[in-house]
Amino acid sequence: MRYPQGGGLTAERQAFRERVRMEAVAMFADGRGSTEVAKELRVSVRSVQRWRRAWREAGQDAVRSRGPVSRPKLNDRLFAVLEEELAKGPVAHGWPDQRWTLARIKTLIGRRFHKSMTLSGISEMLRRHGWSHQVPARRAFERDEATVAGWVKEVWPHLEPPRRRSGPGSSSRTRPDSR
């Protein structure tokens, strides 16, 4: 798996990628071409060219990984605080009902931590930490099954258009009338 539950690469995968870069450096020193290096190491030619340029300009250390591109906005300690706040429920934070939406969580993060995150970033962060979207556990208490069954049996067929009979037709998009 490329990204495990905690996000990012595993330590083994990071070490593997570092070895690949160092093998590329050794091949550069031997004078081998970018296409040959890329084919042997099973990486893109563009990556090899980028590594070669960095190696020429600043040596072997320039090719080494500098770690992840960015750090998470909420570290593990702050996320634990966020979980405590989420456990209190939306009503405790001033919303009228018990629904946590991404927009509400974004507002909570802004109020509590003075940080701004996108809705997709919040969704990814929650998913990485094992949270999922909410789904109602059961149907509404007020639901009358007999009324629903009657509606489905009597009203629904009149609302739904009749199905087309199967038969010879054309798959052509330019002649829809030939069906």
Side-chain angles (χ1 to χ4, degrees), residues 19-82:
R19 277 195 309 275
V20 168
R21 286 191 196 98
M22 292 306 110
E23 286 178 35
V25 167
M27 292 179 186
F28 298 156
D30 292 342
R32 294 171 71 179
S34 296
T35 308
E36 182 184 354
V37 172
K39 190 172 184 178
E40 187 167 331
L41 297 178
R42 297 177 64 186
V43 296
S44 69
V45 175
R46 195 165 189 159
S47 291
V48 172
Q49 291 169 344
R50 192 173 54 248
W51 297 339
R52 184 185 299 273
R53 187 177 342 105
W55 174 68
R56 257 192 256 123
E57 291 173 1
Q60 182 174 348
D61 288 337
V63 180
R64 292 193 189 281
S65 173
R66 289 182 280 291
V69 175
S70 65
R71 290 187 166 70
K73 292 244 182 170
L74 297 180
N75 59 27
D76 290 337
R77 184 179 54 79
L78 292 179
F79 189 81
V81 173
L82 176 64

Side-chain angles (χ1 to χ4, degrees), residues 4 7 11 30 53 76 96 98 121 139 153 155 158 163-164:
D30 292 342
R53 187 177 342 105
D76 290 337
Q98 286 291 343
R139 296 186 186 266
K153 187 176 182 180
V155 178
H158 299 294
R163 294 180 181 243
R164 207 173 40 133

